[in-house]
Structure formats: structure tokens, C-alpha cells
Amino acid sequence: MNDTLIKKIDWDDSYLLGIQEIDLQHKKLILIANELYDIATRDDQNYKILMPKVIKKLSDYTEYHFTAEENFMKRYGYAGSENHKAQHDGFVKEIRNQITKLSSGTKKDFLEFYNYISRWILEHIAKSDQVWAAYVKTKI
């Protein structure tokens, strides 16, 4: 993969769901993910020390956020909540697999990891999250 093809993502209001709590969490997820990008693209040899801390932060916040989303869906009786949870679980499983591989990773490996997670998060917000949020907004 060519590093120049991997771009840092920016929040775009087109990703807003209209549920403030979840929108703020999505923005924070992207900010944390962007910390990975920053470390992987800086000329800093401390990345092997910094990267595990940011990955842990991202992992912890992702779990917190997914739980909040899943609770929202259950609270308002969203019928697709189990399918949505399965998407979350699949992502968490893949992240755990990647983290194991990254223990001896290079900056390029971390950048490719960033590319995977940032694309997954944005696609998930743009598609799956929009569906449940539209339903929940009719119930609030």
C-alpha cells in the first residue's frame, strides 16, 4: 500500500445522526483514530511506545461507544439491534486480531491499520448507524 494514498480523515457533518450523545461519541472516535495517523506519519521514533497507548485508548473508547449505541437501540426497541451488535462484535474481533499483529508493526503497518479502522467507522456511521438512528428519532 502506498502511504501517500492513505489520508487523514476529517469529521464531516454529513455523518451526523441527529442524536447529540452519539454524534459527539462518533467525533471523539475519529479524533482518537486520527491520533494513530499522526503518530504513524510523524518523524518520531517513539511511535513503538506511543502507538500501544493510543490503540488501547481507541479500543476502550470503541467498546464504550458500541455499548452506548446498543443500549440506545434496545431502549427504543429497534428490531435490528442484534444484527447491529453483530457488526460491532465483528469489528472488535478484527481490531483484536490486528492489535496482536501490530505488536511488532512498522509505521506502515500502523498506517494501514488506521486506514482500515477509519474506513470502517465512517462507512458504519454513514450506513448502519443512519438506519437505527432514523428509527430511534421517531421514538424520542
Side-chain angles (χ1 to χ4, degrees), residues 3 22 25 30 32-33 41 51 55 65 68 82 91-92 95-97 104 111 123 134 138-139:
D3 295 356
I22 301 299
Q25 290 176 16
I30 291 172
I32 296 169
T41 56
M51 200 58 78
I55 289 173
H65 166 66
E82 286 304 313
F91 180 68
V92 169
I95 294 303
R96 287 186 179 136
N97 290 339
S104 61
L111 202 54
E123 185 173 317
T138 67
K139 304 293 181 186

Side-chain angles (χ1 to χ4, degrees), residues 20-29 61 64-65 68:
Q20 185 177 15
E21 175 184 343
I22 301 299
D23 287 334
L24 290 172
Q25 290 176 16
H26 284 159
K27 288 178 183 179
K28 184 166 181 173
L29 259 179
Y61 196 78
Y64 164 78
H65 166 66

